Amino acid sequence: MKQIFSEILMETKGQGLYNFTDKTLNWLKKQKIKDGILNINILHTSASLVIQENADPDVLFDLKNFFNKLVPMNNDLYKHTTEGKDDMPAHIKSALTNNQLTLSIKNKKLMLGNWQGLYLFEHRIEKHTRVLSHHLLGN
Amino acid sequence: MKQIFSEILMETKGQGLYNFTDKTLNWLKKQKIKDGILNINILHTSASLVIQENADPDVLFDLKNFFNKLVPMNNDLYKHTTEGKDDMPAHIKSALTNNQLTLSIKNKKLMLGNWQGLYLFEHRIEKHTRVLSHHLLGN
Amino acid sequence: MKQIFSEILMETKGQGLYNFTDKTLNWLKKQKIKDGILNINILHTSASLVIQENADPDVLFDLKNFFNKLVPMNNDLYKHTTEGKDDMPAHIKSALTNNQLTLSIKNKKLMLGNWQGLYLFEHRIEKHTRVLSHHLLGN
């Protein structure tokens, strides 16, 4: 059994969903593991990870919009307000989605459905550099 | 270390939670792995996976009902409406729950609590065939 | 490849987020695995797991408060009411967050961001003993 650790960086420019499927696939191609598990963790608590439809950009707009209505950026609602009106909502949205994805690799291919893509869901309004740890374990 | 890949199909007939614990257990029994990790992925973005109470069917009704109220099937709320009034809400409900479950297998047993069952959460109103990839890695 | 199974117990005293990062780190130190995957499952359906900010306790208050407003403890809203006004909301909150965390271990260190901590999110109002299964697989 082999294990490979790496980090993929994503630059975000405000709230929204950022597709990183190709970055992960390009990284995977270079690794000498045929079958295994790929554990992806986002090392932040104000951005998160989701698997979502990769076809219609309106889906991404609606997702961002839904979460902004569900978790309003309104300081009157929260005690934790010192880091900006978007910070506490970001933590809540992170709890409602995922910090991590555990994916299966078979024959060097990522097992995803045809319409599935990997997305970083940025919840902060300013730009950020986000670290996605990639840990591949297999043969 | 061995790895086994398989797919379990589930037929759904509209919105609700479908217990697939026995299907997974029956499949597990036939595999020659004693201890390991079972990674289950649903290869769709309009149905999802949850671990929930396996005792009172009212719990399943209340879950379906809560999510339908939280994410209304109302086209006025969304830009992505071409695939039906239930499609965008399905993507959102999928983001709010899980695309994947990573479970531990010890001594050929699935480590679940007494009251825990594995459920496919179907968010579409028409019937569908859903693919659950099962990837077992262990000794 | 080695595998180690263990259980960590957490005593909870009502709703809120309980940090168990140090318990997991202390357990990890004693294990003879350098690199691998740590799969943590909570064996209950009325408490859950989240990775959240470990700095400002107001974040934990706001999280508890947000989920209580989103999923009210009001028996009129649910069919499943026999186990108390907090039980059905607990199942829903569990579905909205996570039953399990899959973490990467590199060089005996848990790969978490600086501001990330592991939390048990208790959704019941009475005190409980919660079982967190820890399954470590690696070299």
Side-chain angles (χ1 to χ4, degrees):
Chain A
M1 191 186 70
K2 281 184 282 190
Q3 296 189 61
I4 300 159
F5 295 89
S6 191
E7 288 184 347
I8 288 180
L9 300 184
M10 291 284 288
E11 306 292 334
T12 62
K13 295 170 181 175
Q15 296 187 326
L17 290 105
Y18 297 81
N19 193 327
F20 64 93
T21 320
D22 285 347
K23 287 202 177 202
T24 294
L25 290 176
N26 287 337
W27 177 81
L28 255 183
K29 267 187 219 159
K30 298 174 203 152
Q31 312 311 321
K32 291 184 177 157
I33 283 180
K34 190 175 152 247
D35 297 322
I37 276 178
L38 173 61
N39 197 37
I40 305 178
N41 283 261
I42 187 163
L43 303 186
H44 311 274
T45 61
S46 57
S48 56
L49 301 176
V50 291
I51 295 178
Q52 271 295 330
E53 206 203 69
N54 55 15
D56 180 3
D58 284 347
V59 169
L60 308 181
F61 173 89
D62 285 337
L63 277 164
K64 180 177 77 168
N65 195 42
F66 175 86
F67 278 89
N68 275 338
K69 283 195 284 186
L70 184 66
V71 195
M73 287 185 282
N74 173 354
N75 274 343
D76 294 344
L77 298 171
Y78 312 109
K79 281 173 74 173
H80 175 79
T81 56
T82 48
E83 294 177 59
K85 66 172 182 178
D86 55 334
D87 191 60
M88 192 57 225
H91 294 312
I92 294 171
K93 290 169 190 170
S94 168
L96 287 167
T97 53
N98 307 293
N99 301 87
Q100 135 259 300
L101 302 173
T102 308
L103 304 166
S104 295
I105 312 295
K106 185 185 175 186
N107 233 332
K108 295 219 62 150
K109 284 197 184 121
L110 192 53
M111 293 182 74
L112 286 176
N114 284 339
W115 306 104
Q116 290 186 314
L118 310 178
Y119 288 90
L120 186 163
F121 198 170
E122 176 60 71
H123 306 303
R124 301 299 308 265
I125 52 186
E126 299 295 336
K127 63 182 182 179
H128 281 84
T129 301
R130 300 303 195 172
V131 184
L132 305 187
S133 85
H134 279 57
H135 174 196
L136 181 57
L137 177 154
N139 288 322
Chain B
M1 191 186 70
K2 280 183 283 190
Q3 297 190 61
I4 299 160
F5 295 89
S6 190
E7 287 185 348
I8 287 179
L9 300 184
M10 290 284 289
E11 307 291 335
T12 62
K13 295 170 182 176
Q15 295 187 326
L17 290 105
Y18 297 82
N19 193 325
F20 64 93
T21 320
D22 286 347
K23 287 201 177 202
T24 294
L25 290 176
N26 287 337
W27 177 81
L28 255 183
K29 266 187 219 160
K30 298 173 203 152
Q31 313 311 322
K32 291 184 177 157
I33 284 179
K34 193 175 150 245
D35 297 322
I37 275 178
L38 173 59
N39 197 37
I40 305 178
N41 283 261
I42 187 163
L43 303 187
H44 311 273
T45 60
S46 57
S48 56
L49 301 176
V50 291
I51 295 178
Q52 271 295 330
E53 206 204 69
N54 55 17
D56 179 3
D58 284 348
V59 169
L60 308 181
F61 174 88
D62 286 337
L63 278 164
K64 180 177 77 167
N65 194 42
F66 175 85
F67 278 89
N68 275 338
K69 283 195 283 184
L70 184 65
V71 194
M73 288 186 281
N74 174 353
N75 274 344
D76 294 344
L77 298 171
Y78 313 109
K79 280 174 76 174
H80 175 79
T81 56
T82 47
E83 294 176 59
K85 67 172 182 179
D86 55 332
D87 191 60
M88 191 58 224
H91 294 311
I92 295 171
K93 291 169 189 169
S94 169
L96 287 167
T97 53
N98 307 293
N99 300 88
Q100 136 262 297
L101 302 172
T102 308
L103 304 166
S104 295
I105 312 296
K106 185 186 175 186
N107 233 331
K108 298 222 55 148
K109 286 198 182 120
L110 192 53
M111 293 183 73
L112 286 176
N114 284 339
W115 308 103
Q116 289 185 314
L118 310 178
Y119 289 90
L120 186 164
F121 198 169
E122 176 60 71
H123 305 304
R124 301 300 307 266
I125 51 186
E126 299 294 336
K127 63 183 182 178
H128 281 84
T129 302
R130 300 302 196 174
V131 184
L132 305 187
S133 85
H134 280 57
H135 174 196
L136 182 57
L137 177 154
N139 290 321
Chain C
M1 191 187 69
K2 280 185 282 190
Q3 296 190 62
I4 299 159
F5 295 89
S6 190
E7 288 184 346
I8 287 179
L9 301 183
M10 291 284 287
E11 306 291 335
T12 63
K13 295 170 183 176
Q15 296 186 326
L17 289 106
Y18 297 81
N19 194 326
F20 64 92
T21 320
D22 285 347
K23 287 202 175 199
T24 294
L25 290 176
N26 287 336
W27 176 80
L28 256 183
K29 265 187 220 160
K30 298 173 202 153
Q31 312 311 322
K32 292 184 176 157
I33 284 180
K34 191 176 152 246
D35 297 323
I37 275 177
L38 173 60
N39 197 37
I40 304 178
N41 284 261
I42 187 163
L43 303 187
H44 311 274
T45 60
S46 57
S48 55
L49 302 176
V50 290
I51 295 178
Q52 271 296 330
E53 205 203 71
N54 55 16
D56 179 4
D58 284 348
V59 169
L60 308 181
F61 174 89
D62 286 337
L63 278 164
K64 180 176 77 167
N65 194 43
F66 174 85
F67 278 89
N68 275 337
K69 284 194 283 185
L70 183 65
V71 195
M73 287 185 282
N74 173 354
N75 274 343
D76 294 344
L77 297 171
Y78 313 108
K79 281 174 74 174
H80 174 79
T81 56
T82 47
E83 294 176 59
K85 67 173 181 177
D86 55 332
D87 192 59
M88 191 59 224
H91 294 312
I92 294 171
K93 290 169 190 169
S94 169
L96 287 166
T97 52
N98 307 293
N99 300 87
Q100 135 260 300
L101 302 173
T102 308
L103 305 166
S104 295
I105 313 296
K106 185 186 176 185
N107 233 333
K108 297 221 56 149
K109 283 197 184 122
L110 192 53
M111 293 183 73
L112 286 175
N114 283 340
W115 306 103
Q116 290 186 313
L118 309 178
Y119 288 90
L120 187 163
F121 198 169
E122 176 59 72
H123 306 303
R124 301 299 307 265
I125 52 186
E126 300 293 336
K127 64 182 180 177
H128 281 85
T129 301
R130 300 303 194 172
V131 185
L132 304 187
S133 85
H134 280 57
H135 175 197
L136 182 57
L137 177 153
N139 288 321

XYZ file of all heavy atoms in Angstrom, chain A residues 53-124:
590
model
N -23.772 19.384 -9.584
C -23.945 19.316 -11.031
C -22.934 20.192 -11.739
O -22.712 21.338 -11.347
C -25.362 19.797 -11.393
C -25.850 19.199 -12.693
C -26.932 20.028 -13.359
O -26.611 21.151 -13.832
O -28.058 19.557 -13.427
N -22.333 19.644 -12.806
C -21.285 20.371 -13.532
C -21.771 20.923 -14.877
O -20.968 21.304 -15.714
C -20.084 19.440 -13.756
C -20.519 18.163 -14.466
O -21.618 18.109 -15.024
N -19.695 17.148 -14.427
N -23.089 20.962 -15.078
C -23.598 21.313 -16.405
C -24.092 22.767 -16.487
O -23.530 23.582 -17.214
C -24.710 20.349 -16.796
N -25.104 23.115 -15.732
C -25.757 24.420 -15.865
C -25.252 25.392 -14.803
O -25.458 25.172 -13.607
C -27.279 24.213 -15.705
C -28.048 25.522 -15.817
O -27.432 26.569 -16.080
O -29.284 25.483 -15.639
N -24.588 26.487 -15.222
C -24.076 27.447 -14.222
C -25.175 28.062 -13.349
O -24.882 28.555 -12.261
C -23.381 28.521 -15.068
C -23.563 28.153 -16.485
C -24.249 26.841 -16.600
N -26.429 28.033 -13.824
C -27.525 28.537 -12.998
C -27.653 27.755 -11.687
O -28.084 28.302 -10.678
C -28.863 28.444 -13.753
C -29.004 29.548 -14.806
O -28.200 30.500 -14.788
O -29.928 29.435 -15.635
N -27.307 26.477 -11.728
C -27.347 25.663 -10.499
C -26.420 26.266 -9.452
O -26.769 26.371 -8.268
C -26.970 24.191 -10.794
C -26.742 23.410 -9.503
C -28.052 23.518 -11.640
N -25.242 26.700 -9.899
C -24.260 27.271 -8.965
C -24.752 28.608 -8.414
O -24.589 28.905 -7.227
C -22.912 27.426 -9.665
C -22.394 26.160 -10.371
C -21.041 26.438 -11.010
C -22.311 24.979 -9.415
N -25.382 29.392 -9.278
C -25.967 30.657 -8.827
C -27.052 30.400 -7.776
O -27.090 31.044 -6.722
C -26.557 31.424 -10.021
C -27.311 32.658 -9.608
C -26.658 33.878 -9.477
C -28.677 32.601 -9.316
C -27.350 35.015 -9.060
C -29.369 33.726 -8.901
C -28.706 34.938 -8.771
N -27.936 29.446 -8.062
C -29.043 29.163 -7.137
C -28.548 28.614 -5.798
O -29.123 28.918 -4.754
C -30.019 28.166 -7.776
C -30.892 28.798 -8.867
O -31.067 30.038 -8.845
O -31.409 28.057 -9.721
N -27.503 27.827 -5.849
C -26.940 27.303 -4.599
C -26.415 28.443 -3.725
O -26.733 28.541 -2.541
C -25.804 26.315 -4.882
C -26.237 24.881 -5.205
C -25.084 24.116 -5.846
C -26.705 24.152 -3.944
N -25.610 29.309 -4.326
C -25.061 30.447 -3.587
C -26.194 31.299 -3.011
O -26.168 31.686 -1.836
C -24.188 31.292 -4.522
C -23.563 32.494 -3.849
C -22.639 33.271 -4.782
C -23.417 34.122 -5.767
N -22.544 35.102 -6.477
N -27.188 31.554 -3.830
C -28.312 32.392 -3.453
C -29.139 31.759 -2.317
O -29.510 32.431 -1.351
C -29.186 32.596 -4.702
C -30.175 33.712 -4.545
O -29.843 34.758 -4.005
N -31.395 33.491 -5.002
N -29.398 30.463 -2.426
C -30.162 29.774 -1.381
C -29.445 29.886 -0.038
O -30.058 30.207 0.990
C -30.376 28.295 -1.743
C -31.043 27.531 -0.627
C -32.423 27.512 -0.509
C -30.289 26.868 0.339
C -33.049 26.837 0.541
C -30.903 26.197 1.397
C -32.281 26.181 1.492
N -28.152 29.595 -0.042
C -27.415 29.615 1.222
C -27.326 31.033 1.793
O -27.348 31.216 3.008
C -26.031 28.973 1.056
C -26.078 27.457 1.135
C -26.291 26.681 0.010
C -25.956 26.815 2.360
C -26.364 25.287 0.085
C -26.023 25.430 2.455
C -26.227 24.661 1.314
N -27.261 32.033 0.937
C -27.244 33.407 1.445
C -28.580 33.819 2.061
O -28.609 34.605 3.011
C -26.834 34.388 0.339
C -25.324 34.502 0.225
O -24.596 34.194 1.177
N -24.842 34.920 -0.934
N -29.673 33.275 1.529
C -30.967 33.586 2.143
C -31.163 32.789 3.427
O -31.709 33.299 4.411
C -32.102 33.284 1.150
C -32.233 34.365 0.077
C -33.537 34.270 -0.673
C -33.493 33.127 -1.673
N -34.694 33.073 -2.525
N -30.697 31.534 3.430
C -30.863 30.681 4.619
C -30.035 31.201 5.792
O -30.460 31.127 6.952
C -30.454 29.244 4.281
C -30.647 28.199 5.381
C -32.139 28.013 5.686
C -30.032 26.856 4.997
N -28.859 31.723 5.491
C -27.925 32.168 6.535
C -27.554 33.618 6.252
O -26.511 33.913 5.669
C -26.658 31.275 6.559
C -25.887 31.512 7.857
C -26.981 29.796 6.395
N -28.414 34.557 6.654
C -28.217 35.958 6.241
C -26.942 36.581 6.820
O -26.547 36.285 7.947
C -29.457 36.673 6.811
C -30.442 35.592 7.134
C -29.625 34.372 7.461
N -26.340 37.465 6.027
C -25.198 38.247 6.509
C -25.721 39.481 7.222
O -25.746 40.587 6.681
C -24.297 38.628 5.322
C -23.526 37.429 4.797
S -22.327 37.858 3.493
C -23.443 38.020 2.095
N -26.175 39.263 8.447
C -26.791 40.322 9.233
C -26.248 40.214 10.654
O -26.606 39.291 11.395
C -28.317 40.131 9.203
C -29.048 41.080 10.127
O -28.440 41.826 10.896
N -30.378 41.050 10.070
N -25.395 41.149 11.026
C -24.713 41.059 12.324
C -25.653 41.009 13.530
O -25.260 40.551 14.606
C -23.739 42.235 12.484
C -22.375 41.924 11.863
O -22.066 40.761 11.606
N -21.571 42.948 11.640
N -26.888 41.480 13.352
C -27.834 41.441 14.477
C -28.184 40.012 14.882
O -28.685 39.778 15.985
C -29.142 42.162 14.099
C -28.918 43.657 13.894
O -27.860 44.158 14.335
O -29.798 44.298 13.297
N -27.943 39.069 13.988
C -28.325 37.681 14.266
C -27.271 36.902 15.034
O -27.540 35.800 15.515
C -28.609 36.945 12.948
C -29.758 37.482 12.099
C -29.774 36.808 10.729
C -31.091 37.252 12.815
N -26.056 37.455 15.137
C -24.937 36.659 15.658
C -24.179 37.408 16.758
O -24.176 38.635 16.789
C -23.963 36.321 14.511
C -24.671 35.795 13.279
C -24.762 36.562 12.111
C -25.277 34.533 13.283
C -25.424 36.086 10.980
C -25.948 34.054 12.163
C -26.022 34.842 11.017
O -26.689 34.379 9.910
N -23.518 36.653 17.623
C -22.612 37.226 18.617
C -21.201 37.413 18.037
O -20.492 38.343 18.384
C -22.508 36.305 19.846
C -23.686 36.410 20.805
C -23.610 35.375 21.905
C -22.559 35.695 22.961
N -22.649 34.717 24.104
N -20.813 36.452 17.173
C -19.472 36.489 16.571
C -19.500 37.405 15.349
O -19.858 36.984 14.242
C -19.060 35.065 16.171
C -17.755 34.998 15.427
N -16.525 35.061 16.055
C -17.473 34.869 14.103
C -15.555 34.975 15.161
N -16.104 34.854 13.970
N -19.142 38.678 15.552
C -19.252 39.653 14.455
C -17.941 40.379 14.159
O -17.866 41.159 13.208
C -20.311 40.732 14.798
O -19.940 41.335 16.046
C -21.694 40.126 14.931
N -16.896 40.126 14.955
C -15.653 40.902 14.834
C -14.904 40.656 13.533
O -14.082 41.485 13.136
C -14.695 40.589 16.005
O -14.636 39.163 16.128
C -15.193 41.190 17.291
N -15.150 39.539 12.869
C -14.398 39.252 11.634
C -15.177 39.610 10.364
O -14.809 39.178 9.267
C -13.965 37.788 11.615
C -12.951 37.471 12.720
C -12.574 35.998 12.755
O -12.070 35.505 11.747
O -12.804 35.358 13.792
N -16.265 40.375 10.529
C -17.034 40.787 9.338
C -18.375 40.103 9.277
O -18.554 39.019 9.814
N -19.284 40.741 8.568
C -20.665 40.244 8.515
C -20.791 38.900 7.804
O -21.791 38.203 7.936
C -21.568 41.269 7.818
C -21.233 41.466 6.351
C -22.236 42.339 5.622
C -21.834 42.422 4.140
N -22.750 43.204 3.334
N -19.759 38.537 7.012
C -19.816 37.276 6.266
C -19.150 36.124 7.000
O -19.232 34.976 6.540
C -19.161 37.441 4.885
C -17.719 37.973 4.990
O -17.407 38.658 5.981
O -16.910 37.686 4.088
N -18.490 36.379 8.148
C -17.690 35.318 8.767
C -18.542 34.282 9.502
O -18.386 33.079 9.285
C -16.642 35.907 9.712
C -15.643 34.845 10.150
O -14.978 34.280 9.250
O -15.547 34.539 11.344
N -19.435 34.727 10.371
C -20.272 33.750 11.084
C -21.175 32.984 10.111
O -21.247 31.747 10.193
C -21.081 34.438 12.199
C -21.739 33.436 13.152
S -20.570 32.292 13.956
C -21.438 30.722 13.786
N -21.826 33.677 9.156
C -22.569 32.901 8.146
C -21.684 31.874 7.427
O -22.143 30.784 7.111
C -23.062 33.982 7.177
C -23.200 35.206 8.028
C -22.071 35.131 9.017
N -20.411 32.222 7.199
C -19.500 31.283 6.529
C -19.305 30.014 7.370
O -19.292 28.903 6.846
C -18.158 31.954 6.259
N -19.148 30.180 8.678
C -18.988 29.005 9.545
C -20.243 28.134 9.509
O -20.159 26.905 9.490
C -18.697 29.436 10.983
C -17.380 30.130 11.147
N -16.207 29.640 10.622
C -17.040 31.287 11.774
C -15.215 30.458 10.917
N -15.691 31.463 11.607
N -21.406 28.777 9.523
C -22.664 28.010 9.508
C -22.825 27.265 8.186
O -23.161 26.075 8.153
C -23.866 28.939 9.771
C -23.797 29.501 11.194
C -25.182 28.192 9.554
C -24.816 30.603 11.485
N -22.544 27.956 7.075
C -22.656 27.294 5.763
C -21.667 26.134 5.654
O -21.959 25.125 5.010
C -22.385 28.312 4.652
C -23.482 29.351 4.498
C -22.991 30.459 3.572
C -23.912 31.651 3.545
N -23.285 32.790 2.835
N -20.520 26.311 6.270
C -19.537 25.234 6.281
C -20.088 24.014 7.046
O -19.954 22.874 6.591
C -18.251 25.766 6.915
O -17.351 24.743 7.205
N -20.746 24.264 8.183
C -21.338 23.154 8.956
C -22.467 22.474 8.182
O -22.706 21.273 8.322
C -21.856 23.660 10.302
N -23.184 23.246 7.357
C -24.310 22.695 6.590
C -23.853 21.905 5.361
O -24.631 21.157 4.789
C -25.232 23.830 6.128
C -26.089 24.485 7.215
C -26.693 25.785 6.689
C -27.196 23.540 7.683
N -22.626 22.110 4.926
C -22.118 21.374 3.758
C -21.006 20.426 4.228
O -21.240 19.680 5.172
C -21.683 22.363 2.652
O -20.760 23.307 3.219
C -22.885 23.129 2.100
N -19.835 20.400 3.601
C -18.794 19.435 3.983
C -17.422 20.077 4.085
O -17.064 20.904 3.260
C -18.652 18.332 2.922
C -19.951 17.659 2.605
O -20.524 16.978 3.436
N -20.454 17.871 1.389
N -16.632 19.590 5.040
C -15.219 19.961 5.108
C -14.365 19.012 4.307
O -13.190 19.259 4.086
C -14.719 19.900 6.559
C -15.488 20.815 7.458
O -16.521 20.424 7.995
N -15.024 22.042 7.607
N -14.948 17.879 3.920
C -14.096 16.841 3.363
C -14.899 15.938 2.437
O -16.111 15.778 2.587
C -13.472 16.156 4.557
C -13.379 14.727 4.669
C -14.411 14.124 5.539
O -14.561 14.387 6.717
N -15.145 13.230 4.935
N -14.207 15.408 1.433
C -14.800 14.448 0.501
C -13.895 13.213 0.468
O -12.671 13.355 0.398
C -14.872 15.035 -0.909
C -15.661 16.335 -1.082
C -15.483 16.873 -2.505
C -17.141 16.131 -0.771
N -14.487 12.044 0.509
C -13.718 10.802 0.404
C -14.172 10.096 -0.869
O -15.336 9.693 -0.970
C -13.931 9.922 1.650
O -13.680 10.722 2.815
C -12.993 8.742 1.655
N -13.271 10.012 -1.823
C -13.626 9.538 -3.160
C -12.916 8.230 -3.482
O -11.835 7.955 -2.945
C -13.236 10.615 -4.184
C -13.869 11.989 -3.905
C -13.195 13.068 -4.726
C -15.367 11.964 -4.170
N -13.521 7.452 -4.345
C -12.929 6.177 -4.755
C -12.248 6.323 -6.101
O -12.782 6.958 -7.011
C -14.026 5.114 -4.823
O -14.549 4.874 -3.523
N -11.064 5.698 -6.205
C -10.299 5.683 -7.456
C -10.236 4.242 -7.942
O -9.806 3.357 -7.207
C -8.843 6.181 -7.229
C -8.817 7.474 -6.414
C -8.103 6.329 -8.550
C -9.438 8.654 -7.064
N -10.673 4.011 -9.154
C -10.639 2.654 -9.726
C -9.995 2.740 -11.098
O -10.463 3.500 -11.946
C -12.068 2.129 -9.839
C -12.151 0.679 -10.304
C -13.605 0.296 -10.507
C -13.686 -1.121 -11.085
N -15.079 -1.463 -11.418
N -8.914 1.976 -11.263
C -8.249 1.978 -12.568
C -7.815 3.393 -12.984
O -8.003 3.804 -14.126
C -9.204 1.391 -13.604
C -8.532 0.273 -14.363
O -7.296 0.282 -14.500
N -9.320 -0.666 -14.836
N -7.303 4.112 -12.035
C -6.809 5.496 -12.230
C -7.936 6.498 -12.520
O -7.656 7.654 -12.846
C -5.733 5.554 -13.324
C -4.479 4.772 -12.930
C -3.168 5.408 -13.319
C -2.833 6.695 -12.761
N -1.629 7.224 -12.484
N -9.189 6.052 -12.418
C -10.299 6.987 -12.653
C -11.024 7.327 -11.361
O -11.250 6.473 -10.514
C -11.279 6.378 -13.655
C -10.739 6.448 -15.064
C -11.828 6.250 -16.107
C -11.204 6.227 -17.505
N -11.451 4.991 -18.234
N -11.391 8.578 -11.272
C -12.180 9.052 -10.139
C -13.622 8.602 -10.353
O -14.206 8.866 -11.402
C -12.092 10.581 -10.149
C -12.556 11.402 -8.966
C -11.919 10.944 -7.677
C -12.222 12.878 -9.219
N -14.177 7.895 -9.364
C -15.536 7.399 -9.532
C -16.560 8.488 -9.227
O -17.002 8.650 -8.080
C -15.751 6.185 -8.655
C -14.900 5.012 -9.133
S -15.182 3.558 -8.147
C -16.814 3.080 -8.757
N -16.941 9.204 -10.257
C -17.973 10.242 -10.133
C -19.043 9.943 -11.178
O -18.752 9.336 -12.208
C -17.389 11.625 -10.416
C -16.504 12.262 -9.363
C -15.950 13.589 -9.877
C -17.280 12.506 -8.064
N -20.255 10.381 -10.920
C -21.297 10.286 -11.934
C -21.018 11.272 -13.065
O -20.223 12.213 -12.919
N -21.688 11.062 -14.199
C -21.486 11.914 -15.384
C -21.681 13.396 -15.105
O -21.040 14.239 -15.697
C -22.498 11.541 -16.480
C -22.102 10.254 -17.174
O -20.933 9.865 -17.127
N -23.063 9.593 -17.795
N -22.606 13.695 -14.218
C -22.973 15.088 -13.994
C -22.370 15.651 -12.727
O -22.723 16.735 -12.286
C -24.508 15.226 -13.923
C -25.163 14.640 -15.115
C -25.830 13.448 -15.177
C -25.195 15.197 -16.437
N -26.273 13.222 -16.456
C -25.898 14.289 -17.255
C -24.691 16.374 -17.012
C -26.128 14.520 -18.606
C -24.914 16.609 -18.354
C -25.627 15.679 -19.138
N -21.454 14.879 -12.126
C -20.889 15.334 -10.851
C -19.551 16.036 -11.050
O -18.685 15.554 -11.774
C -20.697 14.147 -9.906
C -22.009 13.563 -9.395
C -21.793 12.486 -8.356
O -20.967 11.599 -8.529
N -22.543 12.555 -7.272
N -19.396 17.153 -10.365
C -18.124 17.857 -10.318
C -17.765 18.158 -8.874
O -18.632 18.182 -7.992
N -16.478 18.400 -8.633
C -15.998 18.747 -7.295
C -15.919 20.263 -7.184
O -15.279 20.912 -8.016
C -14.612 18.150 -7.056
C -14.429 16.657 -7.373
C -12.974 16.252 -7.112
C -15.374 15.815 -6.522
N -16.530 20.803 -6.160
C -16.560 22.257 -6.003
C -16.070 22.704 -4.629
O -16.433 22.117 -3.605
C -17.991 22.791 -6.183
C -18.462 22.736 -7.609
C -19.124 21.611 -8.097
C -18.211 23.787 -8.474
C -19.546 21.544 -9.418
C -18.625 23.736 -9.796
C -19.293 22.611 -10.259
O -19.693 22.554 -11.562
N -15.301 23.776 -4.645
C -15.003 24.521 -3.439
C -16.119 25.564 -3.326
O -16.396 26.296 -4.291
C -13.642 25.203 -3.586
C -13.073 25.919 -2.375
C -11.578 26.143 -2.595
C -13.733 27.244 -2.071
N -16.744 25.620 -2.170
C -17.830 26.577 -1.936
C -17.257 27.684 -1.037
O -17.052 27.472 0.157
C -18.996 25.851 -1.253
C -20.336 26.548 -1.327
C -21.491 25.870 -0.931
C -20.465 27.853 -1.768
C -22.743 26.481 -0.986
C -21.718 28.472 -1.824
C -22.846 27.780 -1.427
N -16.949 28.815 -1.650
C -16.370 29.941 -0.899
C -17.500 30.744 -0.254
O -18.438 31.158 -0.940
C -15.540 30.821 -1.840
C -14.972 32.080 -1.196
C -14.047 31.784 -0.023
O -12.924 31.289 -0.235
O -14.475 32.047 1.128
N -17.396 30.976 1.045
C -18.455 31.691 1.755
C -18.060 33.102 2.161
O -18.896 33.863 2.657
C -18.878 30.899 3.005
C -19.256 29.480 2.707
N -20.246 29.167 1.821
C -18.780 28.292 3.173
C -20.369 27.846 1.739
N -19.498 27.304 2.538
N -16.783 33.465 1.968
C -16.328 34.826 2.311
C -16.435 35.740 1.087
O -16.345 35.266 -0.043
C -14.866 34.814 2.809
C -14.599 33.966 4.039
C -15.366 34.376 5.276
N -15.272 35.769 5.673
C -14.414 36.260 6.563
N -13.533 35.458 7.150
N -14.451 37.538 6.887
